[in-house]
């Protein structure tokens, strides 16, 4: 299993450009998430999905959009890139049925390092 | 909304010294998870605590969940250079689906 795969690894965007960050998982996980991590900081949830066709906003959704047409894929779209979106973006997945109690651990991709200038 | 605070933000230790990071939630948690992120890497799940007062050990790492289920700690005994990285706690509230709120992390640096 490849786990959670993110592409690209690095990207530099000019202000106002758009791009899609790709995320795919091959573990048949229902839940998928997008986080951003600013330098020296923790992880902030952007969007999440509990299954194909269902998405919801996290803590910092402004400036982003997502879609979940399949269980495997959860792309993140930036429409009008701004310098404030310079960050490392992590996609993660989890399988809620993993435990009888508590939560399920998140499996993270390797991240996409995005710079907007 | 829920907030999860971690202290300290940074910690330098000499190899062989002990290290502790503390995590506090503004709300009562259903469970708490701990992750480790190596420099330049991605967070990797370490452990989950579910029960009030729970203590779990993984070799030199000891994890505790407070009695009120609002705080947690990670203690590393006799640090090694392989322990370098940032340690995050992540709390989950009751009825929150599988949504985690991450703390800001504690970055551990170990001098050989």
């Amino acid at each position: 299993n490849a786990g959670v795969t993110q592409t690209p690894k690095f990207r530099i965007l000019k202000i106002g450009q758009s791009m899609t960050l790709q995320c795919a998982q091959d573990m048949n996980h229902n839940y998928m998430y997008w986080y951003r991590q600013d330098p020296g900081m923790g992880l902030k949830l952007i969007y999440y999905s509990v299954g194909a066709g269902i998405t919801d906003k996290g803590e910092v959704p402004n400036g982003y959009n997502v879609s979940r047409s399949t269980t495997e894929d959860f792309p993140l779209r930036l429409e009008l890139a701004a310098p404030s979106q310079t960050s490392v973006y992590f996609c993660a997945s989890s399988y809620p049925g993993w435990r009888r109690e508590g939560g399920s651990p998140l499996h993270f991709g390797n991240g996409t390092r995005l710079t907007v200038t | 909304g829920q907030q999860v605070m971690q202290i300290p933000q940074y910690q330098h230790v000499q190899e062989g010294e002990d290290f502790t990071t503390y995590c506090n939630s503004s709300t009562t948690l259903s469970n708490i998870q701990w992750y480790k992120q190596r420099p330049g890497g991605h967070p990797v799940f370490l452990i989950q605590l579910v029960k009030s007062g729970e203590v779990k050990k993984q070799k030199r790492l000891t994890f505790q969940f407070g009695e009120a289920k609002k705080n947690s700690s990670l203690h590393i005994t006799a640090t090694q250079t392989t322990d370098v990285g940032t340690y995050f706690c992540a709390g989950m509230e009751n009825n929150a689906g599988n949504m985690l709120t991450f703390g800001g992390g504690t970055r551990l640096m170990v001098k050989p």
Side-chain angles (χ1 to χ4, degrees):
Chain A
N1 284 355
V4 179
T5 303
Q6 288 186 242
T7 56
K9 286 188 170 60
F10 304 94
R11 184 73 187 266
I12 299 174
L13 282 182
K14 292 190 188 310
I15 294 171
Q17 286 185 322
S18 61
M19 77 164 293
T20 299
L21 282 67
Q22 302 291 345
C23 175
Q25 52 91 10
D26 61 359
M27 298 173 283
N28 204 30
H29 285 175
N30 307 65
Y31 283 32
M32 294 187 76
Y33 316 78
W34 274 105
Y35 287 91
R36 61 176 286 173
Q37 184 177 34
D38 296 332
M41 304 292 282
L43 295 145
K44 302 283 187 189
L45 182 64
I46 306 171
Y47 269 95
Y48 66 98
S49 167
V50 300
I54 306 168
T55 63
D56 212 340
K57 295 177 181 178
E59 188 182 351
V60 289
N62 291 346
Y64 307 94
N65 276 301
V66 292
S67 59
R68 184 96 182 270
S69 56
T70 66
T71 300
E72 294 77 21
D73 300 297
F74 190 40
L76 177 73
R77 178 88 179 155
L78 282 71
E79 289 295 350
L80 289 169
S84 60
Q85 293 177 305
T86 294
S87 190
V88 179
Y89 291 84
F90 287 103
C91 179
S93 71
S94 70
Y95 175 60
W98 179 73
R99 293 178 61 95
R100 289 189 298 278
E101 59 178 0
S104 302
L106 270 58
H107 299 257
F108 284 86
N110 289 333
T112 294
R113 189 174 297 272
L114 176 68
T115 302
V116 182
T117 61
Chain B
Q2 181 196 17
Q3 291 189 331
V4 177
M5 307 298 291
Q6 253 184 283
I7 56 169
Q9 204 172 354
Y10 305 95
Q11 182 90 58
H12 287 86
V13 299
Q14 197 70 42
E15 189 173 21
E17 290 181 339
D18 291 357
F19 160 77
T20 304
T21 173
Y22 300 91
C23 181
N24 287 287
S25 170
S26 59
T27 59
T28 302
L29 300 171
S30 162
N31 64 83
I32 194 156
Q33 299 179 15
W34 284 90
Y35 292 78
K36 177 183 178 181
Q37 183 177 27
R38 293 184 188 277
H42 60 276
V44 175
F45 174 77
L46 293 176
I47 208 161
Q48 178 178 221
L49 303 170
V50 179
K51 297 183 173 67
S52 169
E54 190 170 12
V55 178
K56 286 188 175 180
K57 294 194 176 192
Q58 287 180 350
K59 297 183 182 177
R60 294 176 295 102
L61 278 62
T62 302
F63 303 84
Q64 291 190 322
F65 201 10
E67 294 290 341
K69 300 183 75 172
K70 292 183 74 173
N71 60 286
S72 182
S73 65
L74 157 60
H75 180 82
I76 302 178
T77 304
T79 54
Q80 300 175 358
T81 54
T82 53
D83 296 324
V84 162
T86 301
Y87 293 85
F88 292 99
C89 63
M92 186 181 299
E93 292 182 293
N94 288 315
N95 304 316
N98 205 57
M99 295 305 113
L100 291 167
T101 299
F102 280 80
T106 296
R107 184 176 170 194
L108 172 64
M109 287 153 280
V110 179
K111 288 177 271 189

